[in-house]
Amino acid sequence: MLPRAVGARVATLLLGAPPPPDHLSAVLAQSRAVQGDAGLLLLLRSMDPLLWYSDDWRPLFRDWKDGQSFGALVGGTMHYGGPALLVVRTADGHLVGAVSSSWRELNGKFGGGADCFLFSVTPTLQVMRGSGRSQNYMYFNSKNRHAPRGIGFGGQAEMCRLWLDSDFERCHVLESDATYQEGRLLPGDDYQIPLECACVEVWGCGGAEAAEAQGEQRSRDQGLRDQARKVDRARMLETEFDKEDSRRWRQHRRRRRKSSRGAVLFEKAFAKGSASKHTDQC
């Protein structure tokens, strides 16, 4: 079966139906990783039915446009409600990446599911799906500073099968791991091969429904942040009032202590005067 986007084009040619949105051309025009290669884009779509039948691919992150910032990658992909394609073009012209339907902060732990897979396009297409021996599908950490910060697939937190660190500078691929099927992501004989990123992109492949789900969750998150700011502001005001009340109470106590000392001194002076007067009379 043809993907809906291609099937609609066939219907246009044979039946005179209205032309569909040109999704393929839109991706080609907005991606530097694919470099305008329609055949390469179709090859990427052919890796999985979720990609083959998807319609509108939306850019969630492109380092050449959004900046080489892990925070921008997190902000663009967080809570995306569908499959998304991570594509890395290396400085040597190779294309590697991963697909996942789970894009959320994992705080130094692994998540994801069996729908995650790794791929390598050059020199030949390879797709490495879950092996069933481990469930370390995806690692996504931007907050826990006591654990490696970055995005990874397979392996362990300190040594993922595919790893992009938070600076996009200390990236690598491994020859194999327990989570995904065997297959080299990059050519070479070493177990660990450095990955020099020339271009990093993440494309949302879940269509309008996934984008809407992401937008709704972002709105909820923003509402929670606004509510937290109001609570913090109220607490700050309460703290200021408490400080003022405490200051006034301390001033009141000092005045009372001064008044008490003055009264004691007066009583002592009066008693001393009375004693002297009594002595003189005697």
Side-chain angles (χ1 to χ4, degrees):
M1 294 181 64
L2 294 174
R4 287 190 292 267
V6 177
R9 291 181 179 277
V10 174
T12 299
L13 294 174
L14 298 181
L15 304 177
D22 194 352
H23 297 307
L24 296 180
S25 297
V27 175
L28 293 174
Q30 298 180 74
S31 173
R32 289 186 180 178
V34 177
Q35 295 185 338
D37 189 338
L40 177 57
L41 181 56
L42 285 174
L43 195 61
L44 292 174
R45 294 179 71 103
S46 71
M47 294 188 300
D48 189 85
L50 288 175
L51 305 181
W52 184 249
Y53 292 109
S54 60
D55 292 331
D56 184 16
W57 285 19
R58 304 188 181 195
L60 304 179
F61 171 77
R62 293 168 292 175
D63 64 345
W64 52 271
K65 183 176 180 62
D66 303 314
Q68 290 187 331
S69 164
F70 188 63
L73 187 151
V74 172
T77 60
M78 190 65 67
H79 302 308
Y80 185 71
L85 177 79
L86 168 68
V87 186
V88 180
R89 179 169 287 276
T90 72
D92 296 329
H94 299 292
L95 207 66
V96 300
V99 172
S100 175
S101 296
S102 176
W103 295 86
R104 59 186 181 86
E105 175 67 43
L106 298 171
N107 199 30
K109 298 180 180 179
F110 277 89
D115 62 328
C116 296
F117 63 86
L118 302 174
F119 67 86
S120 173
V121 175
T122 53
T124 59
L125 175 63
Q126 294 186 88
V127 177
M128 284 73 82
R129 303 187 185 278
S131 65
R133 292 182 292 141
S134 176
Q135 296 183 346
N136 288 357
Y137 294 107
M138 183 178 182
Y139 179 95
F140 200 3
N141 176 37
S142 65
K143 297 180 179 180
N144 186 351
R145 298 188 178 275
H146 300 288
R149 296 177 65 241
I151 180 171
F153 295 83
Q156 303 295 326
E158 298 81 7
M159 192 65 71
C160 291
R161 174 82 170 272
L162 170 61
W163 172 250
L164 303 181
D165 76 315
S166 58
D167 298 320
F168 298 149
E169 293 179 354
R170 295 176 296 277
C171 310
H172 68 254
V173 299
L174 302 181
E175 177 184 4
S176 63
D177 77 297
T179 300
Y180 294 102
Q181 296 170 340
E182 294 187 2
R184 283 193 173 273
L185 292 169
L186 291 176
D189 297 326
D190 295 334
Y191 178 74
Q192 178 179 345
I193 300 177
L195 175 63
E196 185 177 351
C197 302
C199 177
V200 179
E201 298 179 354
V202 181
W203 288 85
C205 310
E209 183 178 351
E212 290 172 2
Q214 184 184 39
E216 291 173 357
Q217 185 59 51
R218 283 177 174 175
S219 298
R220 287 192 290 269
D221 289 348
Q222 186 61 45
L224 292 174
R225 284 192 292 269
D226 292 342
Q227 184 178 2
R229 290 192 189 99
K230 292 179 181 179
V231 171
D232 290 342
R233 190 177 298 112
R235 288 177 178 174
M236 182 180 66
L237 292 174
E238 289 176 1
T239 302
E240 293 299 324
F241 286 134
D242 291 341
K243 289 180 179 178
E244 180 64 20
D245 290 342
S246 178
R247 185 182 64 82
R248 291 178 178 177
W249 172 246
R250 288 195 301 270
Q251 290 178 346
H252 175 68
R253 291 189 62 184
R254 282 197 296 268
R255 286 195 296 267
R256 289 191 60 183
R257 284 198 296 268
K258 288 181 180 179
S259 298
S260 298
R261 285 198 298 268
V264 170
L265 292 174
F266 176 78
E267 290 178 357
K268 288 183 177 179
F270 180 79
K272 184 177 180 180
S274 299
S276 298
K277 184 177 180 180
H278 178 71
T279 302
D280 293 339
Q281 289 176 355
C282 294

